[in-house]
């Protein structure tokens, strides 16, 4: 493989020019281990059947739990949930410790659900595709939850949490 003609920091900076939403991914394994992770690599993949994906760093402390879990929930966070995003991105905390700091309820198969989140997708973990230093995790969605809200979604842009500007047309 040829060496790239740029530094890794430059690659990150360029990718950071793409504004994304912010999600909180949760899961529980059959033996009760919990995962809770902030993720902005989320995207929808297929409408029928409904599938979404996110990319997970091989080095993530959540890697084993998330790749073993049968079910995964993805919460699309609101601007007023920045504290959740920061907590779920904190190194040195286990999934259980991250969840200890927020309000959550057990969903089907014990999967942690964050009430108050305007949009939630949950389903079975599907394929895992290994690529570079990340794994692409596909989720077959079987449950969706939508609570209309006027609060804008939380965004991530140029390495910072931000809020999208919402304009309305008359
Ligand atoms: C806005 C934001 C988005 C993130 N997106 C991802 C992601 O898509 N995939 C990933 O593996 N880690 C992502 N992370 C990093 C994890 O949330 C977490 O901070 C990182 O895995 C360090 O935790 P650990 O030391 O417990 O592994 C993101 C962090 C932030 C703040």
């Amino acid at each position: 493989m040829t060496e790239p003609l740029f530094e890794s920091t430059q690659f990150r900076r360029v990718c950071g020019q793409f504004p994304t939403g912010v999600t909180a991914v949760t899961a529980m394994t059959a033996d009760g281990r919990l995962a809770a992770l902030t993720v902005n690599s989320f995207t929808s993949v297929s409408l029928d059947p409904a599938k979404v994906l996110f990319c997970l760093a091989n080095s993530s402390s959540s890697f084993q739990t998330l790749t073993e879990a049968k079910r995964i929930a993805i919460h699309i966070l609101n601007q007023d949930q920045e504290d959740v995003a920061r907590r779920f991105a904190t190194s040195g905390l286990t999934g259980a410790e991250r969840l200890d700091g927020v309000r959550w309820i057990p969903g089907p198969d014990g999967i942690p659900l964050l009430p108050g989140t305007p949009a939630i997708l949950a389903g079975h973990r599907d394929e895992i595709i290994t690529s570079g230093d990340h794994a692409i995790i596909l989720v077959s969605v079987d449950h969706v939850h939508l609570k209309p809200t006027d609060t804008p979604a939380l965004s991530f842009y140029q390495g910072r949490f931000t809020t999208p500007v919402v304009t309305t047309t008359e």
Side-chain angles (χ1 to χ4, degrees):
M1 221 163 55
T2 52
E3 283 298 309
L5 299 171
F6 50 82
E7 298 288 328
S8 152
T9 48
Q10 181 72 350
F11 177 63
R12 277 168 172 261
R13 211 172 293 139
V14 171
C15 290
Q17 287 298 116
F18 184 59
T20 67
V22 181
T23 70
V25 171
T26 58
M28 190 175 84
T29 56
D31 61 1
R33 278 170 296 131
L34 293 165
L37 183 76
T38 300
V39 159
N40 70 341
S41 55
F42 164 82
T43 192
S44 56
V45 175
S46 164
L47 293 176
D48 187 14
K51 285 185 189 227
V52 298
L53 69 71
F54 63 94
C55 303
L56 179 63
N58 297 339
S59 60
S60 170
S61 64
S62 311
F63 190 88
Q64 208 179 345
T65 310
L66 277 172
T67 51
E68 281 176 22
K70 283 208 174 68
R71 294 188 65 79
I72 292 181
I74 296 153
H75 305 77
I76 300 174
L77 299 179
N78 247 355
Q79 179 197 307
D80 56 13
Q81 293 175 299
E82 187 176 325
D83 55 335
V84 176
R86 289 188 181 278
R87 185 165 185 89
F88 283 17
T90 307
S91 288
L93 294 184
T94 63
E97 286 167 344
R98 288 175 185 171
L99 282 156
D100 259 354
V102 305
R103 198 163 72 84
W104 65 276
I105 52 165
D109 289 339
I111 190 165
L113 297 176
L114 310 177
T117 306
I120 306 174
L121 306 120
H124 290 275
R125 184 184 48 70
D126 194 5
E127 260 177 283
I128 298 178
I129 302 162
T130 304
S131 189
D133 58 8
H134 277 61
I136 301 163
I137 307 217
L138 284 135
V139 178
S140 280
V141 179
D142 54 30
H143 278 78
V144 292
H145 164 85
L146 185 64
K147 193 177 79 178
T149 170
D150 290 335
T151 312
L154 183 62
S155 297
F156 199 68
Y157 177 56
Q158 294 183 334
R160 293 205 180 124
F161 291 105
T162 168
T163 306
V165 177
V166 179
T167 50
T168 49
T169 46
E170 294 292 312

